Amino acid sequence: MTNSDELKNIFLFSELEDFELENILNFSRIKVYSKGEIIFFDTEPYIGFYGIIDGYVKIYKISPEGREHIIHLENSGSTFAEIPMFEKYLAKTNSTHCYPANAMSIEDNTKVIRVPESDFLSFLRENPKICMKMLCSFARRLKFLNSHIGSIILDDVTKRLLKYIVKKCECNCTDNNSVKECFECTIELDISKSDLASHLGTITETLSRSFKKLQNENIISVKGKLITIKNLTYIKKIIK
Amino acid sequence: MTNSDELKNIFLFSELEDFELENILNFSRIKVYSKGEIIFFDTEPYIGFYGIIDGYVKIYKISPEGREHIIHLENSGSTFAEIPMFEKYLAKTNSTHCYPANAMSIEDNTKVIRVPESDFLSFLRENPKICMKMLCSFARRLKFLNSHIGSIILDDVTKRLLKYIVKKCECNCTDNNSVKECFECTIELDISKSDLASHLGTITETLSRSFKKLQNENIISVKGKLITIKNLTYIKKIIK
DNA sequence: AATTGTAATTGACTTAAGTCAAAAAAGTTA
DNA sequence: TAACTTTTTTGACTTAAGTCAATTACAATT
């Protein structure tokens, strides 16, 4: 059963009162997707944004030539597809808007809530607290995109991969806000290598060669999905 | 003299009452920059976000190798450097934050207002209307970055350039919300070609070759800063 | 108009990363 | 465990776009 407690896992809703959560649940829909299922296509008319109660979702575009690019990888607690809500809000006329990209579940039992934009907008307008929450999550996403875009233009694939690994390690090495100094650190990839490639703005073959290069240079070791970074403190300095 | 009317040109402040604008003016600082002047470096401690009353500003990063990448080009009415405000808001401790990129005026007499984040945050928390404004402008920026990042990965430089030109033409061809069907359309570049190059994620030499290519294919004609697109309706279809 | 400086273009060369095709490894199902 | 599918890796080749160097065009100042 879905109850309002589950919703509190979603950052945007985490500080709401129970009665407010019940309210949101009343006008929203919960759905569970299995791995590989499409949540929406970029051709579908917009009917609300999503929150991830549990699971993993990729937001991606496909080029006319068929190449995929993952713009965002989001997991439990995140929301996505909020942007068209504000486009609709700004639009004078009652024009139709589409989802800005495709979304797919990349983990079994991915549980999401779909919140219709019109109900939520009236809620948002009366509630500065949740506005602030949303501003914070937008700010976080803007920050990510800003640095990601810079990285794609100014760094080569190997450096982008290294930055990705280091970031994952940093999350791993941080316990209740106290950063442990990690020399060696092992992480487990929670997405496929082909998803990682298209998230880093490249293709599987090139990613594979980058992994090889980092191993040859004795910076990391790879065993399946397990990646060990040898000297995190040193690596953090050189990727700056 | 700066009065509250000028502030209304800034989208974020456009719906505020005069007394609220006076209030903002009281805790903020106005400054005029000439072309090429630095507004802030990414090494400086964060002391507030900016609004452009009049002029043109580039927000950019420099790679260790010295290559520049322009993340945003903003002109009159826009705000920039809001992100660290929310990082500060979220941070429990009173940690210092830096500006996330460099900002430079790229037009003479660029007039900006700097709004200290702490004063503005308390203002924002009490004011859902301005929250909504800010959410809308964040949404607009996220949308731009999403499509820009996709374009950088999936399109070549020539296509990115063409998309840029078409977008400018569309702005030109739109008068009070009614879109004129334009067959031929001329725009004037309002930034230097080297700025355009680093905004498109490339270098001047490559941009120059892309301009040449589009001219050879008889898609555009270039006379200095004037660019004429020959068949806008057709071009819009092929760059989709 | 001459001088100087900056911005843009062109050519020759190099390289990172993409394409295509095939093999190997890993994961899944019967 | 065998058969099958999917994912990942490897090799050979191609290409878009970057680097470096030199030239040309444009703009500003005296």
Side-chain angles (χ1 to χ4, degrees):
Chain A
M1 247 339 279
T2 303
N3 58 35
S4 51
D5 276 348
E6 273 192 326
L7 282 195
K8 285 188 184 160
N9 287 332
I10 296 172
F11 173 76
L12 184 62
F13 302 144
S14 59
E15 279 174 43
L16 291 178
E17 306 295 332
D18 282 340
F19 77 93
E20 293 173 308
L21 292 172
E22 294 294 343
N23 182 21
I24 288 175
L25 275 171
N26 275 337
F27 58 70
S28 304
R29 276 176 60 106
I30 306 265
K31 198 171 169 187
V32 177
Y33 292 87
S34 48
K35 190 175 176 175
E37 264 192 280
I38 297 289
I39 300 173
F40 53 74
F41 282 115
D42 58 6
T43 49
E44 290 176 34
Y46 187 69
I47 48 171
F49 73 90
Y50 289 79
I52 307 176
I53 295 166
D54 192 48
Y56 228 123
V57 173
K58 68 175 177 187
I59 319 290
Y60 63 103
K61 291 241 178 203
I62 306 270
S63 77
E65 294 78 32
R67 236 184 98 191
E68 174 192 288
H69 173 237
I70 297 177
I71 308 166
H72 291 289
L73 281 165
E74 301 286 357
N75 52 16
S76 315
S78 297
T79 45
F80 58 96
E82 303 98 325
I83 300 175
M85 175 161 70
F86 295 98
E87 295 181 315
K88 277 199 153 179
Y89 173 74
L90 278 182
K92 281 103 199 159
T93 54
N94 216 345
S95 50
T96 41
H97 292 258
C98 282
Y99 282 93
N102 311 289
M104 181 192 279
S105 154
I106 54 167
E107 202 175 86
D108 273 329
N109 299 310
T110 289
K111 194 174 191 178
V112 301
I113 179 170
R114 188 183 70 219
V115 185
E117 82 285 356
S118 55
D119 300 291
F120 192 75
L121 271 173
S122 21
F123 184 78
L124 197 63
R125 270 194 286 207
E126 309 302 322
N127 207 321
K129 213 169 175 180
I130 201 165
C131 279
M132 289 304 287
K133 276 272 172 184
M134 198 165 230
L135 280 167
C136 287
S137 83
F138 274 15
R140 201 190 112 265
R141 212 179 302 169
L142 279 167
K143 192 189 161 81
F144 167 77
L145 284 178
N146 279 339
S147 81
H148 190 53
I149 214 166
S151 187
I152 282 170
I153 288 173
L154 304 171
D155 301 333
D156 62 20
V157 173
T158 307
K159 195 163 179 185
R160 292 197 312 259
L161 171 59
L162 201 50
K163 279 185 175 178
Y164 178 88
I165 297 169
V166 166
K167 208 172 177 182
K168 286 275 168 191
C169 285
E170 280 177 335
C171 292
N172 244 18
C173 292
T174 311
D175 287 331
N176 21 306
N177 295 329
S178 78
V179 182
K180 292 185 286 180
E181 260 315 318
C182 283
F183 199 74
E184 189 171 293
C185 179
T186 301
I187 55 155
E188 188 176 355
L189 281 185
D190 52 4
I191 53 170
S192 70
K193 285 185 181 167
S194 69
D195 277 345
L196 179 55
S198 81
H199 180 54
L200 295 177
T202 186
I203 54 175
T204 49
E205 294 94 319
T206 305
L207 179 68
S208 187
R209 287 173 187 126
S210 285
F211 267 122
K212 197 102 204 217
K213 199 176 165 204
L214 289 174
Q215 285 184 94
N216 289 342
E217 290 168 357
N218 208 30
I219 292 170
I220 61 168
S221 73
V222 183
K223 283 196 189 81
K225 296 238 163 223
L226 290 175
I227 297 161
T228 304
I229 192 159
K230 303 293 182 64
N231 189 337
L232 188 57
T233 327
Y234 168 69
I235 297 304
K236 272 156 94 171
K237 269 181 225 153
I238 63 163
I239 61 167
K240 267 286 171 320
Chain B
M1 244 346 276
T2 302
N3 57 37
S4 51
D5 276 348
E6 272 191 326
L7 281 197
K8 286 189 185 159
N9 287 331
I10 295 172
F11 173 77
L12 183 63
F13 302 144
S14 59
E15 279 174 43
L16 292 178
E17 306 293 333
D18 282 342
F19 79 93
E20 292 173 309
L21 292 171
E22 293 295 344
N23 181 19
I24 289 175
L25 276 171
N26 275 337
F27 58 71
S28 305
R29 276 176 60 105
I30 308 266
K31 197 170 169 186
V32 177
Y33 293 87
S34 48
K35 190 176 176 174
E37 263 191 282
I38 297 289
I39 301 173
F40 53 74
F41 282 115
D42 59 5
T43 47
E44 290 175 32
Y46 187 69
I47 48 171
F49 73 91
Y50 289 79
I52 307 176
I53 296 166
D54 192 49
Y56 228 123
V57 172
K58 68 176 179 187
I59 319 290
Y60 63 103
K61 290 242 178 203
I62 306 268
S63 76
E65 294 78 32
R67 236 185 97 193
E68 173 191 286
H69 172 236
I70 296 178
I71 308 165
H72 292 288
L73 281 165
E74 302 285 358
N75 52 16
S76 315
S78 297
T79 44
F80 58 96
E82 303 98 325
I83 298 174
M85 177 162 66
F86 295 97
E87 295 181 316
K88 277 200 153 179
Y89 173 73
L90 280 181
K92 280 103 201 160
T93 53
N94 218 344
S95 50
T96 40
H97 292 258
C98 282
Y99 282 93
N102 310 290
M104 180 192 281
S105 154
I106 54 167
E107 202 176 86
D108 272 329
N109 298 311
T110 290
K111 194 175 189 177
V112 301
I113 179 169
R114 188 183 69 218
V115 185
E117 82 286 356
S118 54
D119 299 291
F120 192 75
L121 272 173
S122 21
F123 184 78
L124 197 62
R125 270 193 286 207
E126 309 302 321
N127 208 322
K129 213 169 175 179
I130 202 164
C131 278
M132 289 303 287
K133 277 271 172 187
M134 199 164 228
L135 280 167
C136 288
S137 83
F138 273 15
R140 200 190 112 267
R141 212 178 303 168
L142 279 167
K143 191 187 161 84
F144 166 77
L145 283 177
N146 279 339
S147 81
H148 190 52
I149 214 166
S151 187
I152 282 170
I153 287 173
L154 305 172
D155 301 333
D156 62 20
V157 172
T158 308
K159 193 163 182 186
R160 300 207 293 270
L161 171 59
L162 202 49
K163 280 185 174 176
Y164 178 88
I165 297 170
V166 166
K167 206 170 176 185
K168 285 276 168 191
C169 285
E170 281 177 335
C171 293
N172 245 18
C173 292
T174 311
D175 285 332
N176 18 310
N177 295 330
S178 78
V179 182
K180 294 185 284 180
E181 260 313 318
C182 283
F183 199 74
E184 190 170 293
C185 179
T186 300
I187 55 154
E188 187 175 355
L189 280 185
D190 53 4
I191 53 170
S192 71
K193 286 185 180 167
S194 70
D195 277 344
L196 179 55
S198 82
H199 180 55
L200 295 176
T202 185
I203 54 174
T204 51
E205 293 95 321
T206 305
L207 179 68
S208 187
R209 286 173 188 125
S210 285
F211 266 122
K212 199 100 201 223
K213 200 175 164 203
L214 289 174
Q215 285 185 95
N216 289 341
E217 290 167 358
N218 208 32
I219 292 170
I220 61 167
S221 75
V222 183
K223 284 196 188 81
K225 296 237 162 224
L226 290 175
I227 296 162
T228 304
I229 192 158
K230 303 291 181 64
N231 189 337
L232 188 55
T233 328
Y234 167 70
I235 297 304
K236 271 157 96 170
K237 272 181 225 151
I238 63 162
I239 61 167
K240 267 285 170 317

